[in-house]
Amino acid sequence: MSVPASPAADALLADIGGTNARFALARQDSRTPLLTESVREFAVTQFPSLADAARHYLDTTGAKPRTGVFAVAGRVDGDEARITNHPWVISAARTRDALGLESVELVNDFAAQAMGASLLQPEDVVALGAAGWDGHDYSDRTFAVIGAGTGLGVGGLLRRDGRYYPLQTEGGHVSFAPNTPEEIEILQHLSGEFGRVSNERLVSGMGLVNLHRALSAIAGEDPGPLKPADITARAREGDPRSLRTIDIFCAVFGAAAGDLVLTLGAWDGVFLTGGLVPKLLSAIAHSGFRQRFEHKGRFSAVMARIPTLAVIHPQPGLLGAAALAQHTRP
């Protein structure tokens, strides 16, 4: 289906991961810039480069944007970005020239995730716990953003003088701090495997595998090779160890989210993003996530009033790219 080209639809958006490339268009002058009907998704293995995938999208839709904002799952170093789990090496200048665009901006995918929170509406999130959220207002605000997926992304979103600013960090790599005797045992096991243990070693797709393997080792058993999907599937079937794995995942996720709020002073709330959040939403909601989020000693009463908001918007990365496109318009 062709997306009608329009002078207002002047930004090409991309959210590029190791498996899929998602494209869309944006109206830079609109309060709702992302054109949801324009979203398309392709396997990255279908194309030799980002420029080829983007050209296919533009040829398919007939769109003629002026600028591009591309969120990539990898480190952005000046003009260049490398996808962590795919061999694409992306140059902003070469991609711009190949597509005939006036400009191309490369951003880390988590900067887009954080910026996307600025466009979220109450219906795009599910509040976990008693503290709710009525949407954005025009006051200065500080939010935390933490995303569990392939890894653990951590950042923030500031609103100052009517403008939003995303904060990029590597907070997923802070040291894991156990809170129970069982978590101490898990830390001891993972320390023997990895040396230093970060929160990402537990709160991520591979974190599920690490947790399950640690619990199995503590029980004196070898579960064999597993993937994250194997653990979630076994949990749905009622397997006790897989269920316990997810319980601990959710508890540590809550503790990390609460620590982030304290670190950033994010008293206005925390957005929970990443591919695992919608998939595990019911488990998170019925776990110790919120209890561990609030359990911060002398700050527990304060933490009880802070919203924890699970993002259920289907394209948060593209939404963030659309928000960034608004900030880069002439």
Side-chain angles (χ1 to χ4, degrees):
M1 182 177 65
S2 178
V3 177
S6 164
D10 51 7
L12 172 64
L13 313 175
D15 181 15
I16 311 298
T19 303
N20 296 308
R22 299 173 182 88
F23 294 95
L25 301 171
R27 295 189 184 101
Q28 291 175 296
D29 59 355
S30 173
R31 292 182 61 187
T32 55
L34 176 63
L35 300 177
T36 56
E37 69 275 13
S38 71
V39 175
R40 301 287 187 278
E41 181 176 309
F42 309 107
V44 294
T45 53
Q46 291 182 260
F47 303 96
S49 70
L50 170 59
D52 288 294
R55 172 51 58 195
H56 175 75
Y57 172 82
L58 293 175
D59 290 344
T60 301
T61 60
K64 299 184 183 300
R66 295 185 301 105
T67 64
V69 177
F70 300 158
V72 298
R75 182 171 179 265
V76 178
D77 185 7
D79 172 74
E80 189 173 275
R82 294 176 180 270
I83 305 300
T84 302
N85 296 307
H86 187 72
W88 280 359
V89 178
I90 301 165
S91 161
R94 288 196 298 270
T95 303
R96 177 199 65 208
D97 294 344
L99 298 176
L101 300 175
E102 294 176 11
S103 65
V104 164
E105 180 180 7
L106 299 178
V107 299
N108 177 264
D109 62 335
F110 205 74
Q113 289 277 349
M115 197 64 183
S118 70
L119 295 178
L120 292 173
Q121 302 300 314
E123 61 268 22
D124 296 322
V125 302
V126 173
L128 305 177
W133 183 63
D134 296 326
H136 295 284
D137 58 27
Y138 297 100
S139 305
D140 286 355
R141 291 285 184 258
T142 302
F143 296 98
V145 185
I146 184 167
T150 303
L152 180 63
V154 169
L157 181 69
L158 308 182
R159 181 183 172 91
R160 298 291 185 269
D161 299 323
R163 186 179 177 93
Y164 283 101
Y165 300 89
L167 299 179
Q168 297 183 63
T169 82
E170 291 297 337
H173 297 281
V174 302
S175 297
F176 165 58
N179 278 264
T180 68
E182 182 181 38
E183 289 177 8
I184 291 173
E185 283 192 87
I186 290 170
L187 175 60
Q188 290 173 334
H189 175 81
L190 295 181
S191 293
E193 185 173 353
F194 298 112
R196 179 180 178 274
V197 179
S198 67
N199 281 328
E200 186 177 77
R201 295 293 193 187
L202 291 82
V203 187
S204 63
M206 286 309 299
L208 287 171
V209 176
N210 294 336
L211 279 169
H212 190 280
R213 188 168 61 249
L215 290 173
S216 298
I218 291 168
E221 299 176 7
D222 180 2
L226 291 173
K227 297 178 180 179
D230 298 325
I231 296 166
T232 55
R234 292 183 182 187
R236 287 193 295 271
E237 296 168 358
D239 174 63
R241 184 164 299 144
S242 297
L243 287 168
R244 186 61 188 149
T245 296
I246 292 175
D247 283 343
I248 296 170
F249 170 98
C250 293
V252 177
F253 191 17
D259 288 344
L260 179 59
V261 167
L262 293 175
T263 300
L264 293 181
W267 312 121
D268 297 298
V270 53
F271 291 97
L272 312 174
T273 69
L276 286 177
V277 170
K279 295 176 182 178
L280 297 178
L281 184 56
S282 178
I284 295 171
H286 296 92
S287 72
F289 173 92
R290 183 70 197 193
Q291 187 270 335
R292 287 286 291 274
F293 175 84
E294 296 180 12
H295 186 59
K296 299 300 179 187
R298 289 168 288 179
F299 276 82
S300 293
V302 175
M303 298 297 289
R305 300 194 296 269
I306 296 174
T308 47
L309 307 167
V311 176
I312 58 172
H313 189 284
Q315 299 292 346
L318 289 173
L319 190 68
L324 288 164
Q326 288 185 311
H327 282 235
T328 59
R329 64 176 174 168

